[in-house]
């Protein structure tokens, strides 16, 4: 028929069912699903075949099986008419069996389509229809179509297998069918418009037609917000749905439309009737209600457009009724621990209790569970008066801070009074102050203002978990590792108790990071594996802090030189952190990526500027002080390789401003002075570090200090002292496998290690370090021959090649060969480097 979309996939399934050994097809779907149109298309195609007779029986309200009998008697087949005449008339099962068996005499295949079968309202008629269906011969195919076929007892047929059963989901229009539907009406939709239509209509045929009827002239159909109170929508549902329902069912529909989905228990609470289960079953039979789903307990829901219509009728009851039901739903979901629907219904109710208590509990649960966007969206629906309440303002601030929008959080708190606050609100405000400082800077001041206030729990678990978590992070960022670990453990325990997934993962990551900053690298790997396992147990949720743990799990083997390139783990994690609002941490990871890629770039100055931009401390994008202490030596070495001492010095100044005059900063200044060939300045910086007068934040900074000392001793031609310093550095590096720091120390130190001149450089750990250096290309593991050591000693005495040749009774060309081998094995390129390496080996 012109203007109709051919439902090819469904027509094919209907025709295929006729070839199966079963004789029944059920089409049960809501009003407007397109049942009749589909079967009409199919029947027209069947009638084109001479060997098929189609009998169409349209049931109306109050009809019984007499309507079916009348339809059968109209079949123009003399043999069938004679058979029907022999069947005794009546209304019992014998009559229906006789009529069914008489169909066996038909000359052609018969397809009987009983449309609107839901109009069989009494049990007797339903039973007789079942008897007929189960008696028809195999070459007769019966199609029962209607809003529901559950009243007809067909359990035995269902258990034995039915050729075909089509429901509302099967009849729903697919994207290509929606496109064809509108193309027939000279409207051509793009994929995004089709997706929007699917969201609003769920592919329901009647909804698509209503969308057409209500679309503004010339406007895009997909952009039109079809409402439940549009006149055509109201007329349709009143006529097609409400016309068949009792007042009790109509009231139940309106009341249970308040939540998006409901259980039998929630329906009972909403409508105040113990008959909720029976009413649900009745609505399921009529295909007015969808479900049950796979949840436990099962849930039911209405089509989105039907629900919008029902809510419109509910609002028409009176202004207070919707708010009352929203409050009931909010309290029920809150009791079930379902934070999002509890929040949504609390907002819609507008009731004081819901806003002051349920909103706070459910809202903070969502914040701690990693869903701040939902909180911001829901609270945006509150009235201006409700949004001005202190508790609501603090909830909005917590959500905005969690998603990285500090400015919006500050704006939300700007006019919130602090006087006469409860303990809960005071703790909440302190947590918000710390969270704001973690986003914008000023963490020390925020911690000082908090003092010891957050050590005593308020009894409000979600507020306590939030405030304690922010305290743990603030303590971590300011270098108070022991305090941070205590707070983080408490926050993790609180988060687990209330099922706040995101907060638990963040707290565990804080503990893991504290272990890293303490130099316990092996513990970091174990804790990271445990965190990853826990993350999988929790359903692998999106979480920015899990990405931080993954970075550490790559950085630790990278620092041990068991992993040569940690880059692949960094960029994906940085993107996740950016998207999750953790801008400062994402900046640090981008800096790590720039650090790892610095040696491969073509523009050295641009690479150095990228290192500075990403890794230099910024007050408005704070990172933990230990982070800077950990990364800074690697960054300084990179500046040296890029030959950018000016940018390096600016970087060290910025680090000192963030860390203060710690031993870590003095080590950086010693590294810079040594590179600039100012050994006196380097030694002056190292003395307070090596003597213990200047405390290092990071244990590994002492490794760097002793490595610098060993280099300076080599320059001073003190091989024994150099080997002692190297042995000390190796002893400090061994427990946690800090190999890369030794590699970064430069050629002089690596050759000193290769010389194996003292017991300290002949340990198993020293052997492992040399093996990893060799694998990474840092050290060519070749020892000097006896003759090469003699030539090296002569070079250190400034002997010429001819003098060495005469002394050793060899040709000058042979001496040149020895010298080339010495340069290659020592990894040097000039006479000055040769002399330094010889001192490291104790030669010369």
């Amino acid at each position: 028929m012109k203007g109709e979309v051919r439902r090819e996939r469904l027509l094919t399934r209907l025709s295929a069912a006729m070839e199966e050994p079963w004789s029944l097809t059920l089409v049960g779907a809501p009003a407007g699903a397109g049942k009749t149109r589909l079967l009409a298309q199919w029947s027209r195609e069947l009638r084109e075949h001479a060997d098929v007779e189609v009998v169409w029986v349209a049931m109306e309200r109050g009809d019984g099986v007499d309507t079916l009998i009348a339809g059968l008697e109209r079949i123009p087949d003399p043999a069938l008419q004679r058979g029907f005449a022999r069947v005794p008339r009546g209304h019992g099962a014998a009559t229906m069996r006789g009529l069914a068996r008489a169909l066996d005499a038909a000359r052609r295949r018969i397809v009987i389509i009983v449309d609107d079968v839901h109009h069989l309202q009494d049990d007797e008629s339903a039973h007789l229809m079942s008897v007929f269906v189960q008696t028809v011969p195999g070459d007769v195919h019966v199609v029962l179509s209607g809003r529901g076929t559950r009243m007809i007892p067909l359990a035995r047929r269902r258990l034995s297998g039915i050729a075909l059963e089509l429901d509302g989901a099967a009849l729903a229009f697919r994207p290509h069918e929606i496109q064809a539907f509108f193309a027939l009406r000279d409207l051509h939709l793009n994929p995004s418009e089709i997706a929007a239509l699917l969201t609003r209509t769920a592919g329901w045929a009647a909804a698509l037609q209503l969308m057409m009827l209500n679309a503004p002239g010339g406007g895009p159909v997909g952009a039109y917000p079809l409402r439940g109170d549009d006149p055509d929508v109201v007329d349709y549902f009143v006529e097609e749905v409400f016309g068949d329902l009792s007042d009790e069912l109509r009231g139940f529909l309106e009341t249970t439309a308040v939540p998006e989905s409901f259980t039998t228990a929630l329906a009972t609470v909403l409508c105040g009737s113990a008959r909720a289960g029976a009413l649900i079953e009745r609505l399921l039979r009529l295909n007015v209600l969808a479900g049950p789903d796979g949840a436990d307990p099962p849930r039911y829901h209405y089509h989105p457009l039907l629900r919008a219509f029902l809510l419109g009728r509910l609002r028409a009851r009176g202004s207070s009724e919707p708010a009352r039901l929203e409050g009931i739903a909010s309290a029920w979901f809150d009791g079930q621990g379902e934070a999002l629907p509890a929040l949504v219904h609390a907002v819609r109710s507008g009731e004081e209790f819901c806003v002051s208590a349920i909103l706070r509990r459910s809202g903070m649960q969502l914040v701690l569970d990693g869903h701040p966007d939902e909180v911001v969206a829901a609270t945006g629906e509150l009235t201006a008066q409700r949004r001005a309440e202190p508790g609501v303002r603090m909830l909005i601030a917590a959500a905005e801070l969690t998603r990285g929008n500090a400015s919006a959080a500050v704006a939300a708190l700007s006019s919130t009074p602090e006087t006469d606050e409860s303990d809960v609100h005071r703790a909440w405000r302190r947590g918000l102050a710390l969270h704001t400082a973690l986003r914008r800077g000023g963490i020390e001041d925020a911690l000082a203002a908090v003092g010891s206030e957050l050590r005593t729990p308020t009894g409000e678990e979600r507020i306590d978990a939030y405030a304690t978590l922010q305290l743990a992070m603030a303590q971590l960022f300011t270098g108070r590792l022991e305090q941070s670990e205590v707070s983080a453990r408490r926050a993790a325990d609180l988060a687990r108790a209330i099922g706040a997934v995101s907060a638990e993962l963040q707290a565990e990551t804080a503990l893991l990071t504290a272990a890293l900053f303490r130099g316990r690298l092996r513990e970091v790997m174990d804790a990271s594996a445990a965190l990853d396992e826990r993350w999988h147990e929790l359903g692998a949720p999106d979480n920015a802090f899990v990405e931080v743990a993954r970075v550490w799990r790559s950085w630790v083997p990278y620092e041990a030189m068991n992993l040569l390139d940690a880059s692949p783990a960094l960029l994906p994690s940085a993107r996740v952190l950016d998207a999750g609002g953790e801008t400062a941490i994402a900046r640090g990871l981008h800096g790590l990526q720039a650090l790892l890629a610095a040696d491969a770039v073509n523009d050295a100055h641009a690479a150095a500027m990228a290192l500075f931009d990403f890794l230099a401390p910024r007050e408005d994008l704070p990172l933990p002080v230990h982070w800077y202490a950990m990364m800074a030596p690697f960054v300084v070495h990179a500046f040296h390789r890029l030959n950018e001492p000016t940018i390096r010095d600016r970087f060290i100044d910025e680090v000192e401003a963030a860390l203060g005059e710690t031993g870590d900063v003095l080590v950086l200044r010693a590294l810079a002075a040594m590179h600039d060939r100012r050994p006196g300045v380097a030694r002056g910086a190292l003395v307070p570090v090596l003597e213990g007068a200047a405390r290092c934040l990071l244990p590994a900074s002492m490794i760097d200090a002793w490595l610098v000392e060993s280099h300076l001793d080599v320059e001073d031609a003190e091989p024994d002292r150099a080997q002692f310093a190297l042995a000390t550095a190796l002893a400090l590096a061994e427990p946690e496998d800090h190999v890369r720091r030794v590699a970064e120390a430069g050629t002089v130190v690596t050759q000193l290690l290769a010389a194996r001149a003292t017991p300290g450089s002949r340990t198993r750990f020293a052997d492992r370090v040399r093996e990893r250096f060799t694998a990474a290309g840092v050290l060519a593991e070749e020892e000097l021959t006896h003759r090469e050591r003699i030539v090296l000693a002569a070079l250190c005495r400034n002997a010429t090649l001819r003098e060495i040749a005469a002394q050793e009774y060899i040709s000058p060309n042979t001496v040149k060969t020895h010298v080339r081998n010495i340069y290659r094995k020592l990894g040097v390129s000039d006479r000055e480097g040769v002399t330094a390496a010889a001192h490291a080996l104790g030669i010369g």
Side-chain angles (χ1 to χ4, degrees), residues 607-625:
M609 286 304 301
L611 289 177
F612 183 87
D613 291 341
F614 282 126
L615 292 170
R618 278 180 54 176
E619 174 66 18
D620 60 331
L621 289 173
L623 284 172
V625 291

Side-chain angles (χ1 to χ4, degrees), residues 519 690 699-707 725-739 741-742 765:
L690 298 179
S701 293
M702 291 302 299
I703 301 172
D704 294 321
W706 283 106
L707 290 172
L726 176 61
T728 304
L730 291 174
L732 293 172
E734 180 175 8
E736 299 298 339
D737 224 18
H738 286 285
V739 176
R741 290 178 180 270
V742 184
F765 177 68

Side-chain angles (χ1 to χ4, degrees), residues 50-51 76-80 103-110 139:
D51 63 337
D77 185 328
L80 278 181
L103 292 170
D104 198 32
R107 292 172 301 174
R108 297 190 295 173
R109 297 192 66 181
I110 296 179
D139 60 346

Side-chain angles (χ1 to χ4, degrees), residues 359-537:
L359 187 70
R360 181 177 75 205
R361 284 197 299 269
S362 58
M364 283 308 297
Q365 181 72 36
L366 287 166
V367 168
L368 294 168
D369 212 21
H371 302 289
D373 291 346
E374 286 85 341
V375 175
V376 172
T379 53
E381 297 182 13
L382 287 168
T383 63
Q385 180 182 357
R386 288 298 189 196
R387 283 177 63 87
E389 295 180 14
V392 175
R393 285 182 175 275
M394 287 195 280
L395 174 60
I396 294 171
E400 292 287 9
L401 285 167
T402 300
R403 65 181 193 162
N405 194 345
S407 297
V410 172
L413 292 172
S414 59
S415 59
T416 308
E418 297 188 31
T419 57
D420 299 326
E421 285 189 315
S422 66
D423 290 342
V424 171
H425 275 200
R426 190 176 300 106
W428 200 355
R429 187 181 296 281
R430 296 295 180 257
L432 288 168
L434 291 172
H435 203 168
T436 303
L438 287 163
R439 295 292 189 206
R440 306 182 75 174
I443 304 175
E444 286 284 2
D445 292 340
L447 273 174
V450 167
S452 61
E453 283 187 37
L454 297 181
R455 295 178 186 173
T456 304
T458 66
E460 177 67 68
E461 292 176 313
R462 291 162 185 82
I463 302 301
D464 287 340
Y466 172 76
T468 305
L469 182 60
Q470 305 316 317
L471 178 63
M473 296 298 291
Q475 290 165 336
L476 177 71
F477 274 52
T478 54
R480 299 167 171 85
L481 298 186
E482 289 185 9
Q483 296 176 24
S484 176
E485 286 172 330
V486 172
S487 299
R489 288 192 186 94
R490 182 176 159 223
D493 290 342
L494 287 167
R496 271 190 294 273
I498 60 175
V501 171
S502 183
E504 178 189 342
L505 294 173
Q506 183 178 350
E508 293 293 348
T509 301
L511 286 168
L512 186 153
T513 304
L516 177 78
F517 293 160
R518 286 178 176 276
R520 301 196 292 255
L521 303 190
R522 300 179 195 277
E523 181 180 321
V524 169
M525 296 302 288
D526 293 340
S528 179
L531 180 61
D532 195 58
E533 182 178 348
R534 176 61 175 159
W535 177 70
H536 282 288
E537 289 176 3

Side-chain angles (χ1 to χ4, degrees), residues 750-751 753-754 769-770 773-782 825:
T750 55
Q751 292 304 325
L753 178 67
V769 172
R770 281 187 286 267
F773 282 6
T774 302
V778 175
L779 175 69
E781 186 65 295
E782 296 181 69
K825 291 180 180 181

Side-chain angles (χ1 to χ4, degrees), residues 51 53 75-87 97-110 135-140:
D51 63 337
E53 179 72 39
I75 301 174
D77 185 328
L80 278 181
Q81 296 299 328
R82 290 192 294 271
F84 291 155
R86 290 192 292 269
V87 178
R97 290 192 187 96
L99 292 171
R101 291 178 182 133
L103 292 170
D104 198 32
R107 292 172 301 174
R108 297 190 295 173
R109 297 192 66 181
I110 296 179
T135 311
V136 294
D139 60 346
V140 175

